[in-house]
Amino acid sequence: SQQGEEDPQALSIQEGENATMNCSYKTSINNLQWYRQNSGRGLVHLILIRSNEREKHSGRLRVTLDTSKKSSSLLITASRAADTASYFCATGRGSTLGRLYFGRGTQLTVWP
Amino acid sequence: NAGVTQTPKFRVLKTGQSMTLLCAQDMNHEYMYWYRQDPGMGLRLIHYSVGEGTTAKGEVPDGYNVSRLKKQNFLLGLESAAPSQTSVYFCASRPSGTSGGAGNEQFFGPGTRLTVL
């Protein structure tokens, strides 16, 4: 399966702390994406990293990609209660017409 | 722009009944997708379309049919609903082309929560 697998399944931290989520996958990829899902809502795209990139930043988000280990991590710095959500990694291959393969997600809870 | 919208938001069916879920997008995207989300399973692709008049099977297509008669709409049909199809259904869309960079992200609708009794 090309699905990513997130780790940990659940993460609970205090506001102001950093949150790190990991994603591992099994096959070669073209890009890896992270999405957020608030309870009862649709997924929202956060950040995309190409297979030839190693690190990418967007605001308080930092994503790394290690294609040799087939893994990625998402770091959210200075977490806020509003960051409470499920986070999913999704892998894409250029030949599969935009299909994405989603992991099971990490449930992040940020306590005020 | 409304983005991606889904109709209905909630539905309860009895086993054997049929229904159609409607997805509409106003971003002129070529590609559209239907996923189901079950607890602990993440999102799984049911069917997808790479343009008006085209459809293709995803990971879990059995028991579902789709149609893309207009570019902006993607319909998901359940001909004879089963309890195993109780799930939350998400539609997504994205532009065509690009080779892995910006433009590969998918835009999701708010979901349809379906219960089959």
Side-chain angles (χ1 to χ4, degrees), chain B:
Chain B
N1 288 352
V4 180
T5 58
Q6 293 183 233
T7 310
K9 289 185 170 52
F10 302 94
R11 186 72 185 268
V12 178
L13 290 179
K14 294 181 180 178
T15 297
Q17 288 185 319
S18 64
M19 77 163 295
T20 300
L21 283 69
L22 170 64
C23 174
Q25 52 92 7
D26 61 2
M27 298 173 282
N28 202 35
H29 286 168
E30 287 290 337
Y31 294 1
M32 297 186 74
Y33 309 86
W34 275 108
Y35 296 91
R36 59 178 290 172
Q37 184 178 34
D38 302 294
M41 295 295 291
L43 274 76
R44 292 181 292 171
L45 183 65
I46 304 171
H47 286 281
Y48 64 104
S49 169
V50 298
E52 184 178 311
T54 75
T55 62
K57 293 180 180 180
E59 232 182 310
V60 288
D62 294 342
Y64 305 95
N65 56 75
V66 287
S67 63
R68 183 100 181 268
L69 299 180
K70 293 183 178 181
K71 185 177 182 178
Q72 63 268 34
N73 296 337
F74 195 27
L75 279 64
L76 178 71
L78 286 73
E79 290 186 348
S80 179
S84 61
Q85 294 177 304
T86 293
S87 188
V88 182
Y89 292 86
F90 288 99
C91 176
S93 70
R94 55 150 280 189
S96 66
T98 73
S99 56
N104 274 257
E105 63 267 31
Q106 294 185 10
F107 296 79
F108 281 80
T112 293
R113 186 173 295 274
L114 175 67
T115 301
V116 183
L117 302 175

Side-chain angles (χ1 to χ4, degrees), chain A residues 4-102:
Chain A
E5 293 293 337
E6 290 91 342
D7 171 61
Q9 289 187 355
L11 181 60
S12 187
I13 60 174
Q14 295 290 132
E15 263 192 334
E17 294 180 341
N18 295 342
T20 299
M21 287 158 270
N22 302 298
C23 171
S24 60
Y25 57 92
K26 295 180 179 177
T27 63
S28 62
I29 63 170
N30 180 277
N31 67 85
L32 186 143
Q33 304 179 31
W34 286 90
Y35 287 79
R36 183 187 72 225
Q37 183 181 33
N38 291 91
S39 181
R41 309 291 289 272
L43 277 73
V44 175
H45 180 263
L46 294 176
I47 194 165
L48 178 152
I49 186 165
R50 295 192 197 209
S51 59
N52 61 355
E53 296 175 315
R54 292 296 166 259
E55 187 171 313
K56 205 160 182 182
H57 296 255
S58 177
R60 293 185 295 115
L61 304 180
R62 172 176 169 256
V63 170
T64 61
L65 179 64
D66 186 335
T67 52
S68 66
K69 295 182 179 178
K70 291 187 168 58
S71 67
S72 172
S73 68
L74 171 67
L75 169 67
I76 304 174
T77 60
S79 295
R80 306 165 181 167
D83 294 328
T84 295
S86 292
Y87 292 82
F88 295 88
C89 71
T91 54
R93 296 182 65 183
S95 64
T96 54
L97 299 175
R99 286 180 64 170
L100 292 177
Y101 297 83
F102 286 84

